[in-house]
């Protein structure tokens, strides 16, 4: 059963608390991504990683942190500095094949709410 | 999305054909994704165009013109289950990342 697994499906954060969203993939994809989606809007890139032990900021990285210690895993921490964290968080992974085509799939997402 | 334009909403009739357009600034983009997203769910991969022209996959086809910064998704023989948002996402190969439009919400009516 291959794919991208995000957990938990629902998460509640108390004020001042850091929370970590898990993303694991067994597709052997090199690149992994975190997006945020607010109601009625498209996806905005938070962080991405093209290789183990390296990652880059996306368009809305403030208040978030990531690590990429293993190829399979790309956890996202929503820190207390993120003042409006309520959103749908999506993890994706991708691979570039020899023909130049990119294959990119998403996990099922984590819905984060503030208590 | 950043300089990515898609119609906000479209409505079509079951069994008909609908074309969803997407325009974007061409600088640095090498290919383009189309995704389908049902309400409350994650996006599902539909297509990735890296060459200009039309690619057909069953009822769905996607067209790309990189020089014009233009793409469209063509849905044939519409079914009620095709009611969803359709996301256009140009991709930069060198940077290894996509930029997403805000999506087009398609409603299919009987």
């Amino acid at each position: 059963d291959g794919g991208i697994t995000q957990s938990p499906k629902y998460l509640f954060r108390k004020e001042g608390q850091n929370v970590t969203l898990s993303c694991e993939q067994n597709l052997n994809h090199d690149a992994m991504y975190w997006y945020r989606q607010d109601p009625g809007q498209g996806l905005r890139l938070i962080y991405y990683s093209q290789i183990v032990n390296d990652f880059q900021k996306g368009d809305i990285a403030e208040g978030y942190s990531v690590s990429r210690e293993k190829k399979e895993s790309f956890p996202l921490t929503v820190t207390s500095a993120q003042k409006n964290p309520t959103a749908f968080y999506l993890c994706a992974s991708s691979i570039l094949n020899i023909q130049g085509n990119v294959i990119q799939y998403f996990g099922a997402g984590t819905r984060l709410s503030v208590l | 999305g950043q300089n990515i334009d898609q119609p906000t909403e479209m409505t079509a009739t079951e069994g008909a054909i609908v074309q969803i357009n997407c325009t974007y600034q061409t600088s640095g983009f090498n290919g383009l994704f189309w995704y389908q997203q049902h309400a409350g769910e994650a996006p599902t991969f539909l297509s990735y165009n890296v060459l200009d022209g039309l690619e057909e996959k069953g009822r769905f086809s996607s067209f790309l013109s990189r020089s014009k910064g233009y793409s469209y998704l063509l849905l044939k023989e519409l079914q009620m289950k095709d009611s969803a948002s359709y996301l256009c996402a140009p991709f930069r190969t060198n940077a290894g990342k996509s930029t997403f439009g805000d999506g087009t919400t398609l409603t299919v009516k009987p």
Side-chain angles (χ1 to χ4, degrees):
Chain A
D1 187 21
I4 305 171
T5 302
Q6 289 187 241
S7 62
K9 189 171 182 180
Y10 298 96
L11 185 59
F12 297 91
R13 193 191 88 167
K14 296 179 182 178
E15 191 173 341
Q17 184 182 41
N18 292 353
V19 292
T20 297
L21 285 61
S22 171
C23 180
E24 303 278 332
Q25 55 101 359
N26 61 5
L27 301 169
N28 200 33
H29 285 179
D30 297 310
M32 296 187 74
Y33 309 82
W34 275 106
Y35 294 92
R36 168 181 172 141
Q37 187 175 36
D38 293 282
Q41 297 188 26
L43 280 64
R44 292 184 290 169
L45 184 64
I46 304 172
Y47 269 99
Y48 64 109
S49 168
Q50 297 190 70
I51 194 169
V52 175
N53 292 322
D54 188 40
F55 49 83
Q56 290 78 40
K57 292 182 179 180
D59 301 316
I60 55 166
E62 186 174 351
Y64 300 97
S65 66
V66 293
S67 63
R68 186 88 187 274
E69 297 177 1
K70 299 186 299 182
K71 188 175 186 178
E72 300 81 17
S73 178
F74 192 41
L76 173 73
T77 296
V78 184
T79 74
S80 58
Q82 173 49 248
K83 298 306 179 187
N84 184 23
T86 297
F88 188 35
Y89 290 86
L90 289 156
C91 177
S93 69
S94 72
I95 192 166
L96 179 66
N97 68 17
I98 197 168
Q99 289 83 18
N101 292 317
V102 180
I103 303 168
Q104 179 172 271
Y105 297 120
F106 283 84
T110 293
R111 292 197 179 277
L112 176 63
S113 301
V114 178
L115 289 177
Chain B
Q2 297 173 355
N3 301 312
I4 299 169
D5 292 318
Q6 304 179 234
T8 303
E9 296 179 339
M10 298 183 71
T11 302
T13 305
E14 192 175 15
I17 299 172
V18 70
Q19 178 174 312
I20 302 174
N21 295 324
C22 172
T23 58
Y24 61 96
Q25 290 190 350
T26 60
S27 177
F29 291 114
N30 311 103
L32 188 139
F33 288 105
W34 281 99
Y35 285 90
Q36 179 190 63
Q37 186 177 26
H38 285 101
E41 298 182 7
T44 303
F45 174 84
L46 292 177
S47 66
Y48 178 74
N49 292 61
V50 66
L51 299 175
D52 288 353
L54 184 68
E55 291 195 9
E56 299 184 65
K57 283 187 184 179
R59 295 190 300 114
F60 292 7
S61 301
S62 56
F63 172 86
L64 177 66
S65 170
R66 289 169 296 172
S67 62
K68 295 181 179 179
Y70 170 66
S71 175
Y72 66 76
L73 181 69
L74 192 70
L75 293 76
K76 302 176 185 177
E77 301 170 14
L78 281 172
Q79 303 175 9
M80 298 299 290
K81 67 178 181 180
D82 297 330
S83 292
S85 287
Y86 291 87
L87 307 176
C88 164
F91 183 80
R92 286 190 171 93
T93 304
N94 288 346
K97 63 176 182 175
S98 307
T99 302
F100 279 78
D102 287 337
T104 298
T105 300
L106 174 66
T107 302
V108 180
K109 295 186 174 180

